[in-house]
Amino acid sequence: MIQIISVHFDHYIPNWRTQMEVLGHNVIVLVMEGKVRYEINGEEIVAERGDFLYIPKSTRRCGENLNGSPHQKYTLLFTIEPGMDTGIPFLDQGRFIQFRLANFQYAQRRFERLYEEMRGSKSFRFIICLGIVQELIGILSRELEKPEVTPIKMKYAQIVKHYLLEHYREPIEIEQLARLIHRSPNYTTALFKEVFGHSPIRYMHQLRVLEACNLLLHSDMTIAGISQYLGYYDTSYFFRVFKKYSAMSPSEFITRGSQSDLSQLFS
């Protein structure tokens, strides 16, 4: 049985430091921004944005801001019932892991929800939190089983992803993305899906819908205006896309507001 001890969000803490200690619990870390320096059983480890760390119980560990620059990260502390065989290799083996998640945004949103639930007072929150922790562990386990992506593939995929992040409101075609890396459209789509788990066009729609959610809650723009702003010139098509990725219409989302769980956008 997994027992959650606490969840922390370190938000650019000046002079952040943890003293050397032998851990009496397991730790999972997701670095959001900046870099963190750890000493793990005598070995120096530098973790940066997108890194997922598992630090097992009984590890000798200390940590600090790298070169004095603050960082942003989520940290989960938990224990496992002694002698329990979880069936999760990295948990049962009790070994340190540093891993770059392909689906970083989804893990980020799950940590955000976990952090919010742990600080809430709603009924059944501990059951919900345990489910999120189990999901995060499952995500890491599944990604560890994938064949390692070669550096050149990761480089090409990141080029395409960066372009999408910068231009997602504009009309985008696969042929256009393929020209960025001088490869065929089919290769570009397959490569992006291998690295990130979904196609470039799906990722573009995810980015648009996330921005739509933000505008629906925090602007006075109309639904039709948001549709146009995000590159959907047919409002009915925008409604269909929004419902596909959020499981509700824009109007329903406005009604539910910030209580909506949008983690499915990156599932």
Side-chain angles (χ1 to χ4, degrees), residues 6-160:
S6 60
V7 180
H8 305 281
F9 179 52
D10 297 333
H11 184 64
Y12 301 119
I13 301 174
N15 304 315
W16 178 86
R17 179 188 300 270
T18 59
Q19 64 182 4
M20 179 65 73
E21 62 177 335
V22 177
L23 295 178
H25 48 260
N26 305 285
V27 179
I28 285 179
V29 177
L30 181 66
V31 182
M32 311 298 298
E33 297 290 347
K35 297 183 179 181
V36 191
R37 177 192 173 276
Y38 287 103
E39 184 177 324
I40 305 290
N41 290 332
E43 179 181 357
E44 180 176 318
I45 301 293
V46 175
E48 56 187 288
R49 174 180 168 83
D51 279 349
F52 200 126
L53 278 65
Y54 171 65
I55 309 174
K57 180 181 177 180
S58 302
T59 298
R60 293 183 66 253
R61 179 219 64 179
C62 66
E64 62 184 357
N65 289 330
L66 183 66
N67 299 325
S69 298
H71 63 274
Q72 192 180 59
K73 72 178 185 297
Y74 285 101
T75 306
L76 162 67
L77 280 58
F78 67 100
T79 60
I80 302 173
E81 184 179 334
M84 177 182 177
D85 184 0
T86 67
I88 305 295
F90 76 88
L91 290 182
D92 294 338
Q93 294 166 9
R95 58 188 177 91
F96 168 77
I97 289 175
Q98 180 177 13
F99 191 78
R100 178 61 58 90
L101 285 174
N103 209 345
F104 167 65
Q105 290 93 342
Y106 182 74
Q108 173 185 346
R109 294 196 66 82
R110 300 313 285 149
F111 258 109
E112 288 173 356
R113 178 67 186 277
L114 177 62
Y115 183 75
E116 291 170 2
E117 287 287 346
M118 286 292 290
R119 274 148 187 77
S121 58
K122 294 182 179 179
S123 58
F124 306 111
R125 68 186 181 96
F126 286 111
I127 294 176
I128 292 172
C129 289
L130 179 59
I132 296 173
V133 169
Q134 291 174 328
E135 182 185 10
L136 287 167
I137 290 172
I139 288 170
L140 180 57
S141 302
R142 179 177 292 173
E143 292 210 14
L144 286 170
E145 288 184 344
K146 292 180 180 178
E148 184 175 357
V149 177
T150 62
I152 190 63
K153 284 186 175 182
M154 181 60 73
K155 176 183 176 181
Y156 286 158
Q158 291 290 355
I159 289 172
V160 173

Side-chain angles (χ1 to χ4, degrees), residues 158-199:
Q158 291 290 355
I159 289 172
V160 173
K161 183 178 182 181
H162 180 74
Y163 183 87
L164 290 169
L165 285 166
E166 294 291 327
H167 301 277
Y168 65 90
R169 289 173 47 212
E170 303 169 12
I172 293 175
E173 301 290 340
I174 288 296
E175 291 78 8
Q176 177 185 2
L177 301 176
R179 287 194 292 271
L180 294 173
I181 59 175
H182 307 289
R183 294 293 186 272
S184 72
N186 286 341
Y187 178 89
T188 302
T189 299
L191 168 68
F192 196 91
K193 193 167 186 178
E194 178 184 349
V195 175
F196 296 114
H198 45 248
S199 72

